Amino acid sequence: MSIDKELQHQIIEQLQEYSIFCILNDNFTIIHCNTQFESLLGYKQNQLEGIKLNDIAYNTSKEAFQLIEESLTDKCLWKGELQFKSRYSGKVWLDTTIKPVNSDKEEKKTYYIAFFINSSDKRDLINRLKQRAHRQGLIAILGQVSLSNIPVVDLLEQTLSVVCGSLNVSSGIILELAVNGRSALVKASYNTGHIHTNKTVLSVHNDNMLGFTINSDTPVISESFSNEKRFKIPSSLNSNIYKSGTCLVIGDKNYPFGILILLSETESLRTYDEINFLQSICNILAEAIYRKNIEISLKHERELSRRYLDVAEVIIIVLDTHERILLANQFASNLLGYSQQDLAGMNFIEIFIPDSHKNKARDNLNKLLHNQPIDNENIDIHGNIIPVITKSRKLRYIKWRSSLIYDESNKISSILSSGEDITDLLDYEEEQKKLERQLSQAQKMEAVGMLAGGIAHDFNNILASILGFSDLAIEALPTLDTKLHKYLMHIRNSGLKAKDIIEQMQNINLQDDASTQAIMLPTLLKSTLKMLRSALPSSIDIKLNIQDDMPSAYASASKFNQLVMQLLINARNAISGKGTIVISLGTDDLSTARCLTCGEQLNGEYAYLSIDDDGPGIDKASLTKSLSPNDSSPSRSGLNTVNEIIHTSKGHLLINSQKLNPDHSRTGTQIKVLFPLEKASDTHNYSTTNEIDMACILRNRIMIVDDENSVASYMGELFRNTGFEVSVFCDSIEALNEFKKNHQKYDLVITDQTMPAMTGDILAEHMLNINPDLPVILCTGHSSGITKDTVEGLHIRGFLKKPVESSELLHLAVTLLSEQQH
């Protein structure tokens, strides 16, 4: 079917109007193009004619056009996509079809017709889809990265680099808002030479770009900083190189983390896809930062909880249901002797509970796991106490409290046990009980001492009469009556021994700090051993070697008894309660020895007390430890106390042992304590009348006051026989009344201390108020409150302890009267 010329003409007009085409000669020069082609490229009519096609093509090389020409010479179609330069819109993508067209046979020329379809929109759509897919991929990748353990700072830096590269942005900044919301610190930056990370701080105000962003519900996009009227641009962002910017809040608007800022060197806007991309990035960062903060907070809470557990001064242990340790705090670690890591996995009951308490511990654990009550018989006044054995094999007593820990399915997962170390408390309570027993014993001893003191007082009065009248009888005897004299001397000597015993008993029961005085050690030692022998086991053989006729030595009677007791306990411990102890008492010249503790060179003769045991001996290290005030070892107990006592009496200490001196033949240990001997010049031997100043006797009158009639009578007879005028009173009130009436008649007063109506010191005080120069001699048989020092403070010039020696009493009286007269 053929088409008539009219129809052909209409078709050509339609193609001319609605198609895009041009006609090229064989040099690809445009010889004709329709209006649509010219308009598309921004040219007027006939402006493209004579221009080669490759001159208006964009980014298409000559080699590419040569390939097009070669394909067309084969009289084939060429189809492809070419980009052309548009005078207005920049670049235009055109789907192109070029077909050769031959002229009539006479011309024999080849022409080309090129048809075009505008594909720029399609191209843009494809590019946008590619970019969207690319950005979605970036979002997915950043989301995965944010879930890793990457630090927040690194995440911010990497994200900022990806965003700026993806959007072809010049620079980027991520700010962290301060708690007060008035400033923001640069936490990450990209391609910003003048803005430094972690150093640059930007101010946030309601009228500047940052404050506007915080208060905005949508991202803030400034197309041109120079034309911005809504807010001020921070000076650090409004540099010469930045022309526009985009700001988005990172995190919830009410509690934002910070702000994402993108800066461009050109004035530009962000597309809808780009804004969605940036918001997704901000959401990822917000979630990552929130998650990291939660992790840090949880880690901090765990660390804080662990520190709380470690600083708590109680044992905290978590066990699984198989007795294994899951967790132990630092206090438990320190007490048990293992590190916290080493404790993990140990079977607590098997390793740390003594065998004697394992069954009890397991029974309590089993009842706890089955919600059964623990028997009261397993609990003492302190609670559930089960001891533990430490790594150093020490036993510590722990008061336990336990509770169950349940998992999410409400099943028992572990047991939490807290323990309080009450070992020191129990030791303290035991010490308190010991002190209470000692206090009770001390109270008993005080009662015994009071009773003994009362007995001593009465017995001293009896002895005063016995010794006094014995002295008077001896004075009155004819010198030739030797038999009666012998009998009386026996009576007197027995009385003197009784006096020593009573004096020693007083010193033991009165004061621990009894004064040092010359005493007969043999008598004192025998009486002490008699009291202490029953305290030693019968398996110990005690041998005595006592020099009975040794002179007196300076010592404290009460301290001497304590000294003997400590030495015997020391020897008993050294031989473990079985063996031989030799006790020796005598005198010895020790000029070649030195004191073990003070190092003083010994000079002359000393009284000594030695305790020998047949134990293993003592070496230098053990001796040094035993002499330490802090020594608590039972093997050589009390040596430090012995050393203190003996040096208080100006004595010394010697210890002999084979371990101290390998050349020594001794197999055990000898502890020897030394006492100074009484010098001959220290003794007083007074006669009754031979040395008396007779002038004093004739001129003086004496008042004697004693509630014991026999003692008062003896003293009266003693002074009358000597030639004094004597007035004797058995009532202190009667004596005071007499003195008030006739005080000028009395030159000397001798009074007893303990009297029922008025004691001697008070009587003396009243008399001295009347006559301050009156010589007063105070005699006492037993009084814990009266000593030589106290009577001197009362201006009493003489002090004697009953029973007094007749010669000593006369000598003191005459001495005081002589001093008074001169």
Side-chain angles (χ1 to χ4, degrees), residues 504 519-529 543-555 560 563-564 567 582-588 605-612 646 670-677:
Q504 293 161 18
I519 58 177
M520 298 295 294
L521 294 181
T523 303
L524 184 58
L525 177 61
K526 290 177 182 178
S527 60
T528 301
L529 292 176
K543 296 182 179 181
L544 300 179
N545 185 12
I546 300 176
Q547 181 182 338
D548 288 318
D549 58 348
M550 64 179 291
S552 299
Y554 287 102
F560 182 82
L563 189 74
V564 174
L567 290 173
V582 179
I583 303 174
S584 301
L585 180 67
T587 59
D588 195 3
E605 192 174 17
Y606 288 85
Y608 71 84
L609 169 67
S610 69
I611 307 292
D612 295 60
I646 195 61
Q670 180 191 67
I671 300 178
K672 181 181 286 188
V673 291
L674 308 176
F675 302 91
L677 288 172

Side-chain angles (χ1 to χ4, degrees), residues 529-734:
L529 292 176
K530 191 172 184 180
M531 290 187 293
L532 295 179
R533 183 62 183 91
S534 60
L536 297 174
S538 58
S539 56
I540 296 179
D541 181 21
I542 297 181
K543 296 182 179 181
L544 300 179
N545 185 12
I546 300 176
Q547 181 182 338
D548 288 318
D549 58 348
M550 64 179 291
S552 299
Y554 287 102
S556 167
S558 61
K559 298 291 186 181
F560 182 82
N561 285 275
Q562 183 181 0
L563 189 74
V564 174
M565 179 179 67
Q566 294 286 5
L567 290 173
L568 288 177
I569 292 174
N570 173 76
R572 180 199 65 187
N573 294 339
I575 61 178
S576 301
K578 186 176 182 180
T580 301
I581 298 176
V582 179
I583 303 174
S584 301
L585 180 67
T587 59
D588 195 3
D589 189 346
L590 299 168
S591 301
T592 60
R594 284 184 180 273
C595 178
L596 175 68
T597 54
C598 71
E600 182 179 330
Q601 178 69 49
L602 304 183
N603 183 19
E605 192 174 17
Y606 288 85
Y608 71 84
L609 169 67
S610 69
I611 307 292
D612 295 60
D613 63 67
D614 56 359
I618 185 171
D619 55 29
K620 188 173 182 179
S622 300
L623 179 61
T624 302
K625 182 181 178 183
S626 299
L627 290 172
S628 170
N630 298 323
D631 178 45
S632 59
S633 172
S635 59
R636 291 286 175 184
S637 60
L639 283 186
N640 180 62
T641 303
V642 169
N643 182 55
E644 290 180 358
I645 292 174
I646 195 61
H647 278 83
T648 301
S649 302
K650 297 183 179 180
H652 298 286
L653 177 66
L654 298 176
I655 297 181
N656 294 322
S657 175
Q658 185 180 12
K659 290 186 177 181
L660 295 174
N661 184 5
D663 298 332
H664 203 281
S665 59
R666 182 177 303 279
T667 57
T669 301
Q670 180 191 67
I671 300 178
K672 181 181 286 188
V673 291
L674 308 176
F675 302 91
L677 288 172
E678 183 183 29
K679 299 177 182 179
S681 59
D682 295 337
T683 59
H684 302 282
N685 294 314
Y686 308 111
S687 66
T688 54
T689 58
N690 294 337
E691 299 179 6
I692 301 300
D693 185 349
M694 295 307 297
C696 290
I697 297 174
L698 295 175
R699 292 194 301 269
N700 290 279
R701 184 167 182 172
I702 298 175
M703 175 184 285
I704 296 175
V705 186
D706 197 308
D707 64 320
E708 187 66 36
N709 184 55
S710 60
V711 176
S713 299
Y714 143 66
M715 289 185 180
E717 288 297 318
L718 174 65
F719 284 97
R720 287 191 190 99
N721 291 343
T722 310
F724 286 95
E725 291 186 25
V726 181
S727 297
V728 177
F729 296 90
C730 293
D731 188 312
S732 56
I733 300 297
E734 183 182 347

Side-chain angles (χ1 to χ4, degrees), residues 146 250-251 281-293:
S146 70
I250 301 174
I281 293 297
C282 289
N283 291 337
I284 290 174
L285 292 179
E287 288 293 331
I289 293 168
Y290 176 76
R291 186 167 56 253
K292 294 292 183 182
N293 289 339

